[in-house]
Amino acid sequence: MKKVAIIGAGLGSLATAIRLAAEGYKVDVYEASDSPGGKAGQIKEDGFRFDTGPSLLTMPFVLRDLYKAAGEELSDHINIIQPEIICRYFYPDTTVFNAYADLSKLINEMITVFGESGASVKGYLGYCKKIYDLTADIFLFNSFSGASSFFSLKALKTLINLRSIDSGRTMHEANSSFFKNPKTIQLFDRYATYNGSNPYQAPATLNIIQHVEYYIGGFTTDGGINKISKSLFELAVKLGVKFRFNTPVKEILLEGKIARGLVLSEQETKRYQVIVVNADVNYTYKKLLPNFSSSAGKKYATQEPSSSALVYYWGVKNENQKLEAHNIIFSANYEREFQEIFVEKTLPTDPTIYIYISKKISYLDAPMGSENWFVMVNSPYINENLTEDSIEAMKWRIIDKINSTLKINLGENIVFEKRLTPFDIEATTSSSFGSIYGISSNNKFSAFKRHPNKSKEIKSLYFCGGSAHPGGGIPLVLLSGKITAELIMKHEK
Ligand SMILES: Cc1cc2nc3c(=O)[nH]c(=O)nc-3n(C[C@H](O)[C@H](O)[C@H](O)COP(=O)(O)OP(=O)(O)OC[C@H]3O[C@@H](n4cnc5c(N)ncnc54)[C@H](O)[C@@H]3O)c2cc1C
């Protein structure tokens, strides 16, 4: 069997490594940092534990499928939990909306709180499901290779039903055509941020995300999302995958147009027959293939990065009874907020704030009588408007807004603080411009522009992870690993 090297130990890498090792490939993983998981890491300090990046797991069947591929049961490794309320929403006029995991309770809440009719909510969710049914197979579950991907029966069905995938309207336009209450529209527009996009620009096809969260469900695990990283790492080790941490790869070794190995330092070069990159695509062409003139790389570099994030990890005294595990405090003018993030590229004046408290589910994540608050706002990707002063000013806008919504004095209760800025995201995971989901989906052709999992220019070079097909987010990077492993099994026997 061929020897495979993977650059990076993010979730996409772990999925690729497990699938290849389960088929008998010899896999070595090189990771720049000291632990596996990449963006799905954790901070453990002063009695507090925080997930550093992802907080919500969707499409858990993708994870289950990965354990199956290794001959294992997910439930023997991770306790997947579905909170009763997926997310609690706070609106500026004091309206509180609970997005229940139970569909009939959710619809009831929409009737009572937003005054929607049950029929219109059901009709809308049916519309989201139809888009998922028509697109998931082509755009998520299989390798996407442009025109040739359309020569299948399923693809034919999608082509025939092209209008139903609603790529001609923006998410906001589509959502406004279903509902009159601006609060319902804001709720459903929010799902554009699940892949770092702007609902006022992104095609309505992205309304599949609502189907994923409301029909398939929103989950977490006992022990937080980092539990997934740790458990996948352990499974990979059990299958014989070798990891080298604190080992940044300096360059990919090429012989002509064939990937042949890795340069680890001036003294150390390792030869392999297959190279898989889990690092960011732009970074890879710039830093790891500095002497290769790639037209795919040049094309990819012209794509708009997804949004970034500013996160505060706050250890907070007291337990707040108004908050659930996942909470959103909405801005008063959503269109203005996205205009600032994506067009003016500044931190929003009035941000929508996400608060995730894993302790509400995993009781050991904070000392008794206190909570671990992961507080995140969407941020533009790195540009000259993003300065230390603007980040510091944002911190106080966040605190003020939380205080006025929850009627507390947060500043007095913070006993631990760490933060993650777009600059930290770029520095710690190599994601160019600090983007958290690779490229944005702000136009209807974005799904076609993600980087393929197999290089068309360099033999034996593959890409998995959030900046490659099918995109960012836990389930998609795990699928990216599956597609990449399958391509390697097909082409690198
Ligand atoms: C704040 C935040 C919140 C998020 N929330 C969610 C959420 O709720 N739900 C969800 O599904 N997704 C969420 N995401 C997105 C999700 O975390 C990512 O899509 C996913 O974890 C990315 O996985 P990846 O395989 O692309 O690898 P990454 O996590 O990007 O890891 C890449 C790894 O490669 C390593 N590396 C890079 N260059 C080198 C080199 N030269 N040599 C060796 N190693 C190298 C890096 O150190 C890193 O460990 C969030 C992300 C962030 C940042």
Side-chain angles (χ1 to χ4, degrees), residues 26-174:
K26 191 176 170 323
V27 185
D28 293 346
V29 177
Y30 295 87
E31 167 55 48
S33 75
D34 60 3
S35 51
K39 295 184 180 78
Q42 72 171 355
I43 296 167
K44 230 175 158 178
E45 256 179 81
D46 296 354
F48 293 98
R49 193 204 68 84
F50 299 89
D51 285 313
T52 54
S55 53
L56 188 76
L57 170 70
T58 52
M59 300 166 77
F61 61 88
V62 175
L63 194 58
R64 200 163 293 124
D65 185 46
L66 175 57
Y67 280 85
K68 275 229 161 67
E72 305 261 347
E73 283 299 327
L74 170 65
S75 54
D76 291 338
H77 299 266
I78 301 175
N79 185 13
I80 301 282
I81 293 172
Q82 184 170 39
E84 193 198 339
I85 294 172
I86 304 175
C87 186
R88 175 167 285 167
Y89 292 86
F90 296 85
Y91 288 85
D93 68 351
T94 73
T95 301
V96 176
F97 175 85
N98 290 317
Y100 288 102
D102 180 282
L103 212 51
S104 56
K105 275 174 100 174
L106 174 82
I107 294 171
N108 240 342
E109 182 85 348
M110 293 211 158
I111 296 169
T112 348
V113 180
F114 294 153
E116 300 296 349
S117 78
S120 61
V121 178
K122 281 183 196 153
Y124 177 75
L125 293 175
Y127 146 87
C128 299
K129 178 177 188 309
K130 186 161 188 192
I131 303 177
Y132 178 89
D133 290 343
L134 286 169
T135 57
D137 224 61
I138 303 178
F139 290 103
L140 301 185
F141 297 129
N142 288 293
S143 99
F144 187 77
S145 45
S148 59
S149 298
F150 286 101
F151 294 109
S152 72
L153 267 181
K154 282 213 166 131
L156 198 65
K157 199 169 149 214
T158 306
L159 282 177
I160 293 166
N161 288 284
L162 212 51
R163 279 194 60 184
S164 302
I165 70 170
D166 211 1
S167 60
R169 295 190 286 184
T170 66
M171 281 180 95
H172 178 73
E173 283 164 354

Side-chain angles (χ1 to χ4, degrees), residues 7-13 30-33 35 37-40 52-58 247-250 278-280 283 288 309 311 313 354 374 376 420 425 428-431 436-437 464-467 471-475 477:
I7 305 170
L11 293 176
S13 158
Y30 295 87
E31 167 55 48
S33 75
S35 51
K39 295 184 180 78
T52 54
S55 53
L56 188 76
L57 170 70
T58 52
T247 310
V249 171
K250 301 281 183 247
N278 178 229
D280 178 83
Y283 160 88
L288 303 182
V311 184
Y313 309 100
Y354 171 61
F374 165 112
M376 176 176 129
L420 180 80
I425 294 172
T428 56
T429 63
S430 86
S431 289
I436 57 178
Y437 296 101
C464 68
S467 56
I474 302 170
V477 301

Side-chain angles (χ1 to χ4, degrees), residues 269-426:
T269 296
K270 291 272 186 187
R271 291 187 74 82
Y272 287 93
Q273 288 145 314
V274 181
I275 307 293
V276 180
V277 181
N278 178 229
D280 178 83
V281 168
N282 279 327
Y283 160 88
T284 300
Y285 283 113
K286 223 159 116 189
K287 301 280 185 194
L288 303 182
L289 291 164
N291 303 316
F292 185 81
S293 169
S294 160
S295 55
K298 282 185 195 128
K299 220 155 81 190
Y300 189 84
T302 63
Q303 300 305 309
E304 181 192 21
S306 83
S307 56
S308 187
L310 173 62
V311 184
Y312 284 94
Y313 309 100
W314 281 323
V316 176
K317 269 193 292 182
N318 300 330
E319 298 191 1
N320 193 299
Q321 303 308 325
K322 289 184 190 157
L323 295 173
E324 289 291 317
H326 304 272
N327 311 273
I328 285 283
I329 302 178
F330 266 133
S331 61
N333 186 339
Y334 219 30
E335 189 163 6
R336 178 84 199 116
E337 183 180 355
F338 283 98
Q339 170 78 14
E340 288 176 318
I341 295 170
F342 283 93
V343 183
E344 294 163 24
K345 298 189 178 51
T346 55
L347 283 164
T349 324
D350 172 19
T352 291
I353 301 170
Y354 171 61
I355 307 174
Y356 160 54
I357 308 169
S358 69
K359 192 196 175 185
K360 301 272 186 201
I361 291 162
S362 305
Y363 307 111
L364 299 176
D365 281 356
M368 266 225 308
S370 51
E371 288 181 331
N372 59 337
W373 288 27
F374 165 112
V375 179
M376 176 176 129
V377 295
N378 291 312
S379 156
Y381 59 82
I382 293 172
N383 72 91
E384 71 277 4
N385 297 327
L386 216 52
T387 58
E388 182 54 39
D389 284 352
S390 71
I391 291 172
E392 186 60 17
M394 178 54 116
K395 173 180 159 179
W396 294 105
R397 288 208 293 285
I398 295 172
I399 290 177
D400 285 348
K401 191 166 170 144
I402 293 177
N403 284 345
S404 66
T405 306
L406 301 177
K407 310 280 177 261
I408 57 171
N409 190 338
L410 179 59
E412 268 182 6
N413 289 315
I414 295 175
V415 293
F416 175 90
E417 176 175 299
K418 278 214 159 166
R419 70 173 195 186
L420 180 80
T421 68
F423 300 100
D424 300 322
I425 294 172
E426 185 176 61

